[in-house]
Amino acid sequence: MGTKILFTDFDDTLLDSDKTVSKENMEEIHTMLAQGHYVAYTTGRPLQGAKTLVERLGLPKRHCFLLCFQGSVVYDLEQDEILIENPMEQDKMLDLVRLLREKKIYTEAFGKKCFYCFEFTETTRRYNRLTSETYQVIDGIEEIEKEPIYKVMAIDFHNKQPLLELQKSMEEQNPYGFESFFSSEWFYEFCGKNQNKGTGLETLAAKLGIPIADTVAVGDEENDLSMIQAAGVGCAVQNARESVKKVADYVTKAEHNHGAVAEVIRHFILGDS
Protein backbone atom coordinates (compact mmCIF):
# COMPACT_ATOMS: atom_id res chain seq x y z
CA MET A 1 0.00 0.00 0.00
CA GLY A 2 1.39 3.39 -1.02
CA THR A 3 1.68 6.54 1.03
CA LYS A 4 -1.59 8.45 1.31
CA ILE A 5 -2.55 11.91 2.46
CA LEU A 6 -5.71 12.87 4.31
CA PHE A 7 -7.15 16.36 3.80
CA THR A 8 -9.60 17.17 6.57
CA ASP A 9 -11.66 20.26 7.30
CA PHE A 10 -11.65 21.53 10.89
CA ASP A 11 -15.05 22.82 12.00
CA ASP A 12 -17.94 20.34 12.07
CA THR A 13 -15.67 17.70 10.51
CA LEU A 14 -12.53 16.94 12.53
CA LEU A 15 -13.70 19.08 15.46
CA ASP A 16 -16.63 18.24 17.69
CA SER A 17 -19.28 20.87 18.39
CA ASP A 18 -17.28 21.98 21.44
CA LYS A 19 -14.28 22.71 19.15
CA THR A 20 -12.17 19.81 20.42
CA VAL A 21 -10.80 16.68 18.72
CA SER A 22 -12.27 13.43 20.00
CA LYS A 23 -10.04 10.71 21.39
CA GLU A 24 -11.14 8.42 18.54
CA ASN A 25 -10.18 10.92 15.82
CA MET A 26 -6.86 11.71 17.51
CA GLU A 27 -5.90 8.04 17.90
CA GLU A 28 -6.57 7.25 14.24
CA ILE A 29 -4.59 10.29 13.09
CA HIS A 30 -1.61 9.14 15.14
CA THR A 31 -1.99 5.60 13.79
CA MET A 32 -1.93 6.69 10.14
CA LEU A 33 1.01 9.04 10.73
CA ALA A 34 2.94 6.22 12.44
CA GLN A 35 2.46 4.19 9.26
CA GLY A 36 4.09 6.92 7.17
CA HIS A 37 1.00 8.68 5.79
CA TYR A 38 0.40 12.46 5.79
CA VAL A 39 -2.32 14.76 7.13
CA ALA A 40 -3.30 18.21 5.84
CA TYR A 41 -5.64 20.27 8.01
CA THR A 42 -7.65 22.48 5.64
CA THR A 43 -9.32 25.69 6.76
CA GLY A 44 -10.42 29.16 5.81
CA ARG A 45 -8.63 30.45 8.90
CA PRO A 46 -5.54 32.68 8.58
CA LEU A 47 -2.18 31.00 9.08
CA GLN A 48 -1.52 32.37 12.55
CA GLY A 49 -5.00 31.46 13.77
CA ALA A 50 -4.71 27.95 12.33
CA LYS A 51 -1.29 27.41 13.93
CA THR A 52 -2.68 28.55 17.28
CA LEU A 53 -5.60 26.13 16.89
CA VAL A 54 -3.26 23.21 16.15
CA GLU A 55 -1.30 24.05 19.31
CA ARG A 56 -4.44 24.34 21.44
CA LEU A 57 -5.83 21.06 20.19
CA GLY A 58 -2.53 19.22 20.63
CA LEU A 59 -2.63 17.97 17.05
CA PRO A 60 0.52 16.29 15.70
CA LYS A 61 2.89 18.22 13.42
CA ARG A 62 5.22 15.57 12.00
CA HIS A 63 4.16 14.75 8.43
CA CYS A 64 1.40 17.35 8.85
CA PHE A 65 0.47 20.46 6.88
CA LEU A 66 -1.95 23.37 7.00
CA LEU A 67 -3.94 24.61 4.02
CA CYS A 68 -5.01 28.08 5.18
CA PHE A 69 -7.14 30.83 3.62
CA GLN A 70 -9.12 28.12 1.78
CA GLY A 71 -5.92 26.70 0.28
CA SER A 72 -4.18 29.95 -0.68
CA VAL A 73 -1.33 29.21 1.75
CA VAL A 74 0.27 25.77 2.21
CA TYR A 75 2.33 25.49 5.39
CA ASP A 76 4.60 22.68 6.64
CA LEU A 77 3.92 22.26 10.38
CA GLU A 78 6.96 20.05 10.95
CA GLN A 79 9.44 22.38 9.24
CA ASP A 80 7.62 25.55 10.38
CA GLU A 81 7.67 27.12 6.91
CA ILE A 82 5.37 28.32 4.17
CA LEU A 83 5.66 26.15 1.09
CA ILE A 84 3.27 28.03 -1.20
CA GLU A 85 1.35 31.30 -0.95
CA ASN A 86 -1.00 32.98 -3.40
CA PRO A 87 -2.47 36.31 -2.28
CA MET A 88 -5.37 37.88 -4.15
CA GLU A 89 -4.66 40.15 -7.13
CA GLN A 90 -4.31 43.50 -5.39
CA ASP A 91 -6.19 45.90 -7.68
CA LYS A 92 -9.14 43.54 -8.09
CA MET A 93 -9.20 42.80 -4.37
CA LEU A 94 -9.45 46.53 -3.63
CA ASP A 95 -12.25 46.92 -6.17
CA LEU A 96 -14.11 44.03 -4.53
CA VAL A 97 -13.78 45.57 -1.08
CA ARG A 98 -15.04 48.90 -2.43
CA LEU A 99 -18.07 47.13 -3.93
CA LEU A 100 -18.91 45.38 -0.66
CA ARG A 101 -18.54 48.66 1.21
CA GLU A 102 -20.87 50.39 -1.28
CA LYS A 103 -23.42 47.63 -0.70
CA LYS A 104 -23.05 48.25 3.05
CA ILE A 105 -22.10 44.61 3.66
CA TYR A 106 -19.86 44.04 6.66
CA THR A 107 -16.44 43.10 5.26
CA GLU A 108 -13.18 41.64 6.57
CA ALA A 109 -9.94 41.42 4.58
CA PHE A 110 -7.42 38.82 5.76
CA GLY A 111 -3.68 39.42 5.75
CA LYS A 112 -1.03 37.02 6.99
CA LYS A 113 -1.02 38.22 10.61
CA CYS A 114 -4.56 39.55 11.14
CA PHE A 115 -7.84 40.48 9.55
CA TYR A 116 -8.75 44.07 8.78
CA CYS A 117 -12.18 45.60 9.28
CA PHE A 118 -13.48 49.13 8.79
CA GLU A 119 -15.38 49.45 12.05
CA PHE A 120 -15.73 47.49 15.26
CA THR A 121 -19.32 46.27 15.45
CA GLU A 122 -21.30 43.52 17.10
CA THR A 123 -20.45 41.44 14.01
CA THR A 124 -16.75 41.93 14.71
CA ARG A 125 -17.28 40.97 18.32
CA ARG A 126 -19.26 37.85 17.44
CA TYR A 127 -16.81 36.72 14.75
CA ASN A 128 -13.86 37.27 17.08
CA ARG A 129 -15.62 35.32 19.82
CA LEU A 130 -16.00 32.39 17.41
CA THR A 131 -12.43 32.43 16.08
CA SER A 132 -10.22 34.38 18.54
CA GLU A 133 -8.33 35.78 15.54
CA THR A 134 -6.23 38.94 15.72
CA TYR A 135 -7.82 41.96 14.03
CA GLN A 136 -7.09 45.58 13.21
CA VAL A 137 -9.68 48.31 12.67
CA ILE A 138 -8.62 50.58 9.80
CA ASP A 139 -9.91 54.00 8.76
CA GLY A 140 -9.95 53.40 5.02
CA ILE A 141 -9.11 51.08 2.17
CA GLU A 142 -5.85 52.91 1.50
CA GLU A 143 -4.40 51.22 4.60
CA ILE A 144 -4.41 47.84 2.84
CA GLU A 145 -3.38 49.05 -0.61
CA LYS A 146 0.07 47.48 -0.26
CA GLU A 147 -0.85 44.66 2.12
CA PRO A 148 -1.04 41.11 0.68
CA ILE A 149 -4.60 39.91 1.23
CA TYR A 150 -5.43 36.21 0.99
CA LYS A 151 -9.19 36.28 1.34
CA VAL A 152 -12.09 38.71 1.75
CA MET A 153 -15.18 37.76 3.71
CA ALA A 154 -18.70 39.20 3.73
CA ILE A 155 -20.58 38.48 6.96
CA ASP A 156 -24.19 38.83 8.07
CA PHE A 157 -25.28 36.96 11.20
CA HIS A 158 -28.88 38.19 11.04
CA ASN A 159 -30.01 38.29 7.41
CA LYS A 160 -28.60 35.89 4.82
CA GLN A 161 -30.45 37.55 1.93
CA PRO A 162 -27.75 40.15 1.11
CA LEU A 163 -25.18 37.34 0.96
CA LEU A 164 -27.44 35.24 -1.29
CA GLU A 165 -27.89 38.23 -3.59
CA LEU A 166 -24.13 38.72 -3.62
CA GLN A 167 -23.64 35.05 -4.51
CA LYS A 168 -26.17 35.33 -7.34
CA SER A 169 -24.51 38.44 -8.76
CA MET A 170 -21.11 36.73 -8.70
CA GLU A 171 -22.54 33.69 -10.49
CA GLU A 172 -24.09 35.91 -13.17
CA GLN A 173 -21.09 38.19 -13.61
CA ASN A 174 -17.81 37.95 -11.75
CA PRO A 175 -15.59 40.81 -12.96
CA TYR A 176 -12.81 39.85 -10.54
CA GLY A 177 -12.36 36.19 -11.42
CA PHE A 178 -12.13 35.31 -7.73
CA GLU A 179 -13.30 32.03 -6.22
CA SER A 180 -16.34 32.63 -3.99
CA PHE A 181 -18.46 30.37 -1.79
CA PHE A 182 -20.26 30.03 1.53
CA SER A 183 -18.00 28.63 4.25
CA SER A 184 -20.86 28.71 6.77
CA GLU A 185 -24.43 29.94 7.00
CA TRP A 186 -23.23 33.51 7.63
CA PHE A 187 -19.89 33.76 5.79
CA TYR A 188 -19.51 34.36 2.04
CA GLU A 189 -15.83 34.27 1.10
CA PHE A 190 -13.63 35.33 -1.79
CA CYS A 191 -10.17 33.93 -2.58
CA GLY A 192 -7.77 34.40 -5.47
CA LYS A 193 -8.50 33.05 -8.93
CA ASN A 194 -8.23 29.25 -8.96
CA GLN A 195 -7.41 29.27 -5.24
CA ASN A 196 -9.50 26.87 -3.19
CA LYS A 197 -9.11 23.76 -1.08
CA GLY A 198 -9.13 21.61 -4.22
CA THR A 199 -6.21 23.40 -5.87
CA GLY A 200 -4.43 23.35 -2.51
CA LEU A 201 -4.90 19.58 -2.41
CA GLU A 202 -3.50 19.16 -5.92
CA THR A 203 -0.54 21.44 -5.20
CA LEU A 204 0.51 19.72 -1.97
CA ALA A 205 0.03 16.22 -3.39
CA ALA A 206 2.26 17.12 -6.35
CA LYS A 207 4.91 18.60 -4.05
CA LEU A 208 4.97 15.40 -1.97
CA GLY A 209 4.92 13.19 -5.04
CA ILE A 210 1.66 11.54 -4.02
CA PRO A 211 -0.73 10.53 -6.84
CA ILE A 212 -4.19 12.08 -6.68
CA ALA A 213 -5.56 8.53 -6.48
CA ASP A 214 -3.90 8.29 -3.03
CA THR A 215 -5.52 11.45 -1.65
CA VAL A 216 -8.56 11.37 0.64
CA ALA A 217 -10.58 14.45 1.56
CA VAL A 218 -13.37 14.92 4.10
CA GLY A 219 -15.53 17.95 4.86
CA ASP A 220 -19.01 19.29 5.48
CA GLU A 221 -19.46 22.73 3.88
CA GLU A 222 -19.64 24.30 0.42
CA ASN A 223 -16.04 25.47 0.67
CA ASP A 224 -15.03 21.80 0.99
CA LEU A 225 -16.64 20.83 -2.32
CA SER A 226 -13.54 21.59 -4.40
CA MET A 227 -11.27 19.27 -2.40
CA ILE A 228 -13.90 16.54 -2.13
CA GLN A 229 -14.23 16.61 -5.91
CA ALA A 230 -10.46 16.84 -6.51
CA ALA A 231 -9.46 13.98 -4.18
CA GLY A 232 -9.00 10.36 -5.15
CA VAL A 233 -11.70 9.64 -2.58
CA GLY A 234 -13.97 12.50 -1.53
CA CYS A 235 -15.93 12.05 1.71
CA ALA A 236 -18.71 13.99 3.39
CA VAL A 237 -19.46 13.68 7.09
CA GLN A 238 -23.00 12.65 8.04
CA ASN A 239 -23.79 16.20 9.21
CA ALA A 240 -22.64 17.79 5.93
CA ARG A 241 -24.86 19.91 3.70
CA GLU A 242 -26.91 17.87 1.24
CA SER A 243 -25.12 19.60 -1.66
CA VAL A 244 -21.82 18.24 -0.30
CA LYS A 245 -23.17 14.73 0.26
CA LYS A 246 -24.42 14.61 -3.34
CA VAL A 247 -20.91 14.96 -4.82
CA ALA A 248 -19.06 12.81 -2.27
CA ASP A 249 -17.83 9.31 -3.06
CA TYR A 250 -18.60 8.30 0.51
CA VAL A 251 -20.81 9.66 3.29
CA THR A 252 -19.81 8.65 6.80
CA LYS A 253 -22.22 6.78 9.03
CA ALA A 254 -20.97 8.87 11.96
CA GLU A 255 -21.40 12.60 12.27
CA HIS A 256 -18.66 14.94 13.46
CA ASN A 257 -19.38 14.45 17.16
CA HIS A 258 -18.92 10.68 16.88
CA GLY A 259 -15.62 10.07 15.08
CA ALA A 260 -16.49 10.71 11.43
CA VAL A 261 -12.85 11.41 10.50
CA ALA A 262 -11.71 8.26 12.32
CA GLU A 263 -14.20 6.32 10.19
CA VAL A 264 -12.71 7.80 7.00
CA ILE A 265 -9.16 6.99 8.13
CA ARG A 266 -10.04 3.38 8.93
CA HIS A 267 -11.82 2.82 5.61
CA PHE A 268 -9.60 4.68 3.16
CA ILE A 269 -6.16 5.18 4.76
CA LEU A 270 -5.65 2.12 6.94
CA GLY A 271 -7.74 -0.18 4.76
CA ASP A 272 -9.85 -1.61 7.58
CA SER A 273 -13.31 -2.80 6.69
Side-chain angles (χ1 to χ4, degrees):
M1 183 176 66
T3 301
K4 295 187 178 183
I5 180 166
L6 173 73
F7 293 80
T8 176
D9 175 52
F10 271 134
D11 297 303
D12 297 323
T13 300
L14 177 62
L15 305 191
D16 292 354
S17 296
D18 63 1
K19 303 300 182 185
T20 61
V21 179
S22 69
K23 180 181 179 182
E24 185 179 8
N25 283 345
M26 190 72 83
E27 286 178 349
E28 296 296 3
I29 287 173
H30 279 286
T31 297
M32 64 170 285
L33 291 172
Q35 293 187 13
H37 302 293
Y38 295 94
V39 174
Y41 311 111
T42 70
T43 179
R45 286 177 173 83
L47 177 58
Q48 196 56 49
K51 288 170 64 178
T52 300
L53 182 62
V54 167
E55 292 287 348
R56 179 177 68 78
L57 296 171
L59 286 166
K61 297 179 182 178
R62 186 172 181 273
H63 280 194
C64 295
F65 302 85
L66 280 170
L67 270 61
C68 303
F69 301 111
Q70 309 295 0
S72 296
V73 171
V74 179
Y75 177 81
D76 186 327
L77 280 162
E78 183 177 4
Q79 299 300 321
D80 190 22
E81 65 177 358
I82 292 174
L83 301 180
I84 301 145
E85 55 182 323
N86 293 291
M88 302 173 78
E89 189 174 337
Q90 201 73 0
D91 290 344
K92 291 181 178 179
M93 178 275 296
L94 294 170
D95 286 344
L96 170 63
V97 172
R98 291 188 187 98
L99 173 70
L100 297 178
R101 298 283 290 154
E102 288 169 7
K103 290 179 177 291
K104 301 190 184 304
I105 297 174
Y106 176 86
T107 304
E108 294 178 350
F110 288 75
K112 196 175 294 184
K113 295 182 178 179
C114 69
F115 72 81
Y116 301 92
C117 56
F118 296 89
E119 57 271 317
F120 184 88
T121 68
E122 180 55 35
T123 299
T124 318
R125 190 190 311 278
R126 185 169 173 181
Y127 178 78
N128 187 251
R129 196 162 56 237
L130 285 171
T131 65
S132 301
E133 291 169 8
T134 304
Y135 65 91
Q136 182 178 334
V137 180
I138 57 177
D139 293 326
I141 198 169
E142 64 277 359
E143 293 189 44
I144 57 171
E145 283 183 349
K146 296 183 179 180
E147 182 73 20
I149 298 297
Y150 297 86
K151 75 170 185 175
V152 170
M153 186 156 65
I155 303 176
D156 197 319
F157 286 112
H158 303 290
N159 181 10
K160 193 177 180 180
Q161 193 57 38
L163 302 184
L164 291 171
E165 291 173 2
L166 179 62
Q167 180 188 42
K168 183 179 179 182
S169 69
M170 288 299 144
E171 289 173 349
E172 291 174 350
Q173 184 180 12
N174 183 350
Y176 313 108
F178 293 144
E179 300 282 329
S180 60
F181 37 71
F182 277 96
S183 59
S184 84
E185 190 74 15
W186 315 290
F187 306 154
Y188 190 67
E189 302 197 18
F190 296 84
C191 290
K193 186 176 181 180
N194 298 324
Q195 296 301 313
N196 53 52
K197 290 186 178 184
T199 56
L201 178 152
E202 292 167 350
T203 300
L204 180 56
K207 192 167 187 68
L208 296 174
I210 295 176
I212 291 296
D214 290 329
T215 63
V216 179
V218 55
D220 71 296
E221 263 290 356
E222 286 185 12
N223 63 319
D224 299 317
L225 280 169
S226 60
M227 71 172 182
I228 288 171
Q229 292 173 307
V233 178
C235 305
V237 291
Q238 183 57 233
N239 52 289
R241 288 183 182 271
E242 287 303 316
S243 59
V244 178
K245 291 180 180 179
K246 284 180 181 179
V247 304
D249 301 307
Y250 178 83
V251 178
T252 64
K253 295 177 177 62
E255 48 90 44
H256 69 298
N257 284 320
H258 296 94
V261 170
E263 179 182 330
V264 169
I265 292 172
R266 286 193 294 268
H267 282 3
F268 300 108
I269 306 289
L270 305 178
D272 297 344
S273 59

